[in-house]
Amino acid sequence: MTDILARLEGVSRTYQKGKERVEVLHNLDLQIPQGDFIAIMGPSGSGKTTLLNLIGGLDRPTAGTINVGGAELTSMSNSKVSHWRSTHIGFIFQFYNLLPVLTAQKNVELPLLLTSFNAKERAERAAIALDIVGLADRARHYPRELSGGEEQRVAIARAIVSDPSLLLCDEPTGDLDRETADEILRLMQILNREHGKTIIMVTHDAQAAEFANRTLHCDKGTLEAREAA
Amino acid sequence: MKYFGLVWRNAWRKKIRTSLTILSVFVAFLLFALLSAFGHAFKYGVEAADAERLIIIDKISLINLLPIAYQNRIKATEGVHSVTHSTWFGGYYQEPRNQFPQFPVDPHEYFAMYPEFKMPEEQFEAWVKNRTGAVVGRELADSFGWEVGDRIPIQATIWTKADGGRTWEFDIEGIFASDDPRGSSALFLFQYDYFDEARAFGQGLVGWYILRVERGADPVQVQNAIDTQFENSRNQTETSTEAAFAQSFAKQFGNIALIVTLILGAVFFTLLLVSGNTMSQSVRERISELAVLKTLGFGDRTVLGIVLSESILIMLIGGLLGIGVGWFVTRGIAVAAGAFLPGVYFSPTAILASIALMVGAGVAAGIFPALQAMRLSIIDALARA
């Protein structure tokens, strides 16, 4: 029997937009097994990113419960969720979101500032993460000195440096050309298959979704499963 | 400390803007150091005042002189231990800008009244024996390079000599120093007897009296007794404590403390606006980066601390540079002009106060941007990015 890493039960998320209440997710149930690689597709405004934010503890549901890795997010305080996130979740964004004032190495070290590792240990771990993504030789470069694909690799290194069990990726290849996008997706496959990372990836790109084990379609606040070809 | 690298890098995100902000902080704290040191010069006489010493001047004005005959009557007043006198000579050495206090005094009485002034016994005796002798404070001797045995001409601006001359020549017989670190020894003292004989006018008059009250006597009662005694005399007196006298003397230059406070208030208010604006801009520019930090797990308080530390860091860099340069400048002024304006001193207390001010100003300038960063909604900030 496969272990369930994330379990969402009856999750709804409603936003107040002016005088109007908009329900982005409606009574959603979802189970994500440990080691899975899921792509979530759907039109803009369908609730894909909201779902990702809820699983990552960046947002809270209006109703329902979310349990990730045994942690009941809906009942935890903000500060506890922050701390939990630093050790259990790695985030990868469409626009990389690296800090421009820090080198690749220092960007990767950022999540480790929240741990008890000393400077030497942080540097060693960041170097390993950069090596995994194939950027060991670019450690001292600033984001402005890197290509888009390299920036995203640094962002991936930052996401995995704390050895989280779950990677949440929001359009990770949305800003890259096809060839670079495929390189990034292959890297994510390696992280999934060889390093055991569970990955949830939101994407508009059907070709990107093909790299996942399965694809969920999000529309009007509900999810529909479609197995990958 | 592990966040220092991040704070440092963020502080220098816009090098020109940060440099200009640091420059404004530097100027503000340089000004603080200078004004504080000069403020000390104006109030140091008050700090060094002896509680048991009283000063008696003419009730109408310090410029009016008092008869020497008052001395015995003052001495006979109940509660008075000893009394001496002094007079403002008001001359200069070589050039009019070389002005410093010169007082004709009674050597024995004066040094008994100011036991903090120390000099070798043989020098004191030599001075007493030489009617045209003078003794000078160490600060004064050092600033002009005077030594014992030098003959010093002082040009009078008030007291012409009986022969019509304005040049008074004195032999330096001794150099004294004050063992009270709050006080100054930038004085030029010579014998009253010689002065009284040689001056063209004003014989038998002195500038003011200094008395020491007997131990246990009430200075206020002594003050009243003396002033009452001379109530119907030609020269009425006004007696005050040495501290009050020093304070009223300093007030001749205006309310220095108020002027200093007003200037510094304006400077620091402007500084807060400048640095507060810098921090606000800096936070606004990196809303998405702060959201990323929070996404990575940086807590609200950590983000608040990082932004506040940045503001305090900028203040400390500029401020420490400012008071550092200020310290050297005031030391230079104290050495170069100690004889004319004694007490220029940027004290350790003022240094500590300025460091506290840097931290306070850093918090004040950074608190609102820091709170904004702390309260940042990750979802909203990432959506805006």
Side-chain angles (χ1 to χ4, degrees), chain B residues 41-360:
Chain B
F42 282 100
K43 69 180 180 189
Y44 98 103
V46 179
E47 285 178 5
D50 185 325
E52 289 181 348
R53 277 197 296 251
L54 300 181
I55 308 287
I56 304 164
I57 59 170
D58 183 274
K59 191 174 183 179
I60 295 168
S61 168
L62 176 64
I63 297 168
N64 291 351
L65 302 176
L66 295 170
I68 189 79
Y70 279 17
Q71 183 161 359
N72 285 335
R73 291 172 64 187
I74 294 167
K75 196 171 181 182
T77 309
E78 196 179 337
V80 174
H81 174 272
S82 54
V83 61
T84 189
H85 58 80
S86 191
T87 305
W88 183 261
F89 185 75
Y92 62 84
Y93 172 62
Q94 292 179 334
E95 292 176 64
R97 66 186 176 96
N98 292 339
Q99 292 195 18
F100 44 84
Q102 305 119 21
F103 301 146
V105 299
D106 179 298
H108 286 103
E109 285 176 4
Y110 196 85
F111 272 72
M113 186 61 68
Y114 292 94
E116 60 266 39
F117 292 155
K118 309 283 188 201
M119 68 188 295
E121 189 62 35
E122 66 276 11
Q123 290 186 3
F124 182 80
E125 291 304 326
W127 178 35
V128 171
K129 283 179 190 158
N130 182 356
R131 283 166 59 80
T132 59
V135 292
V136 296
R138 170 57 62 197
E139 289 168 78
L140 197 58
D142 287 349
S143 62
F144 290 116
W146 292 339
E147 288 173 5
V148 171
D150 287 353
R151 193 163 179 80
I152 305 299
I154 300 291
Q155 296 300 315
T157 57
I158 305 167
W159 302 105
T160 47
K161 295 174 82 171
D163 62 9
R166 284 189 166 269
T167 305
W168 294 67
E169 292 198 329
F170 299 99
D171 307 307
I172 294 187
E173 297 289 0
I175 293 172
F176 63 92
S178 172
D179 63 2
D180 182 347
R182 299 167 303 172
S184 165
S185 62
L187 300 174
F188 187 100
L189 305 173
F190 53 96
Q191 295 208 36
Y192 175 80
D193 288 350
Y194 166 60
F195 166 70
D196 197 42
E197 260 179 44
R199 61 180 159 176
F201 58 94
Q203 273 75 14
L205 297 173
V206 298
W208 61 89
Y209 287 100
I210 307 129
L211 70 87
R212 180 175 292 283
V213 295
E214 277 180 351
R215 190 148 293 171
D218 180 1
V220 178
Q221 274 184 5
V222 174
Q223 262 174 264
N224 293 337
I226 290 168
D227 291 343
T228 308
Q229 192 177 162
F230 296 107
E231 220 166 38
N232 297 316
S233 305
R234 191 171 164 210
N235 295 90
Q236 293 181 358
T237 59
E238 184 174 291
T239 308
S240 58
T241 60
E242 200 172 53
F245 177 74
Q247 213 155 30
S248 66
F249 189 76
K251 276 185 180 168
Q252 289 182 107
F253 302 95
N255 191 337
I256 302 299
L258 180 67
I259 293 167
V260 167
T261 307
L262 287 176
I263 293 172
L264 286 178
V267 167
F268 280 97
F269 179 70
T270 312
L271 176 69
L272 283 185
L273 293 183
V274 170
S275 46
N277 184 49
T278 299
M279 287 311 299
S280 294
Q281 274 186 358
S282 173
V283 166
R284 270 200 307 273
E285 282 165 6
R286 54 187 158 119
I287 289 287
S288 64
E289 289 176 35
L290 292 165
V292 169
L293 287 182
K294 287 185 151 194
T295 304
L296 295 177
F298 285 68
D300 290 346
R301 285 182 188 176
T302 308
V303 170
L304 175 96
I306 287 171
V307 176
L308 263 188
S309 303
E310 203 177 309
S311 174
I312 293 169
L313 177 71
I314 288 172
M315 285 289 175
L316 283 174
I317 295 172
L320 290 174
L321 281 172
I323 63 168
V325 172
W327 189 81
F328 278 109
V329 172
T330 53
R331 286 283 297 166
I333 291 171
V335 171
F340 327 114
L341 186 60
V344 174
Y345 180 47
F346 188 33
S347 68
T349 313
I351 291 172
L352 287 178
S354 62
I355 292 172
L357 196 59
M358 286 169 213
V359 175

Side-chain angles (χ1 to χ4, degrees), chain A residues 137-152:
Chain A
D137 58 334
R138 310 288 272 168
R140 290 174 182 275
H141 289 250
Y142 285 90
R144 64 178 179 275
E145 297 164 344
L146 302 172
S147 67
E150 286 173 329
E151 281 197 72
Q152 193 60 297

Side-chain angles (χ1 to χ4, degrees), chain A residues 82-102:
Chain A
S82 284
H83 182 255
W84 167 84
R85 201 162 50 232
S86 70
T87 51
H88 291 82
I89 306 287
F91 282 92
I92 301 167
F93 305 95
Q94 178 179 359
F95 297 110
Y96 333 125
N97 284 339
L98 301 177
L99 268 59
V101 292
L102 300 180

Side-chain angles (χ1 to χ4, degrees), chain A residues 212-224:
Chain A
N213 300 339
R214 59 187 174 122
T215 302
L216 299 177
H217 280 262
C218 194
D219 196 14
K220 294 175 184 169
T222 58
L223 279 175
E224 178 192 331

